[in-house]
Amino acid sequence: QVQLVESGGGLVQAGGSLRLSCAASGRSFRDNAMGWFRQAPGKEREFVAAISWNSGLTYYTDSVKGRFTISRDNAKNTLYLQMNSLKPEDTAVYYCAADLRHRVVPARSAGEYDYWGQGTQVTVSS
């Protein structure tokens, strides 16, 4: 059974940092692009960041550029999201996702991803 399990969320003050992890099991995703998305209450799920299979390409939504860093450890089958200088508007449930297609350029649309984690809550207080 393929599973993606996020961890590392929590409550943090504005300006603080969190590091999210996404541990994959059931199969290796070392040949696949992966991404992070988030969904705030009453809003649609939105793209946050994506990374190619070999970490050669990374993409970010404009609102997190310079503050968030996506990375992966293929030996551990784990995806990360380092979040610095957090703002209240970053408050959301964060999901990791895996794309089964062997894309060179990571997708930025949720519909292009095949596996999803259950999400981890990030709350940033002002």
Side-chain angles (χ1 to χ4, degrees), residues 21-77:
S21 298
C22 171
S25 62
R27 62 158 286 168
S28 171
F29 290 102
R30 63 184 178 186
D31 296 325
N32 305 100
M34 299 188 73
W36 287 99
F37 290 77
R38 65 186 180 187
Q39 188 167 17
K43 295 187 177 181
E44 293 188 352
R45 191 169 299 190
E46 67 169 352
F47 170 77
V48 176
I51 187 167
S52 62
W53 68 276
N54 64 351
S55 304
L57 293 172
T58 57
Y59 295 96
Y60 300 91
T61 192
D62 286 345
S63 63
V64 308
K65 285 180 181 176
R67 300 187 298 122
F68 290 11
T69 303
I70 188 171
S71 62
R72 65 191 297 167
D73 185 337
N74 286 342
K76 296 181 179 180
N77 217 18

Side-chain angles (χ1 to χ4, degrees), residues 47-117:
F47 170 77
V48 176
I51 187 167
S52 62
W53 68 276
N54 64 351
S55 304
L57 293 172
T58 57
Y59 295 96
Y60 300 91
T61 192
D62 286 345
S63 63
V64 308
K65 285 180 181 176
R67 300 187 298 122
F68 290 11
T69 303
I70 188 171
S71 62
R72 65 191 297 167
D73 185 337
N74 286 342
K76 296 181 179 180
N77 217 18
T78 301
L79 178 72
Y80 303 99
L81 185 68
Q82 178 67 43
M83 306 187 294
N84 298 329
S85 302
L86 282 161
K87 303 176 181 180
E89 51 263 44
D90 294 318
T91 295
V93 177
Y94 283 71
Y95 300 89
C96 68
D99 176 3
L100 289 183
R101 299 159 192 82
H102 296 286
R103 302 180 202 271
V104 174
V105 177
R108 280 163 273 194
S109 171
E112 301 295 339
Y113 286 82
D114 303 285
Y115 286 110
W116 292 84

Side-chain angles (χ1 to χ4, degrees), residues 4-10 18-23 36 78-81 83 94 96 118-122:
L4 299 177
V5 179
E6 302 97 336
S7 61
L18 285 173
R19 188 192 194 204
L20 305 185
S21 298
C22 171
W36 287 99
T78 301
L79 178 72
Y80 303 99
L81 185 68
M83 306 187 294
Y94 283 71
C96 68
Q118 82 291 346
T120 185
Q121 176 70 47
V122 171

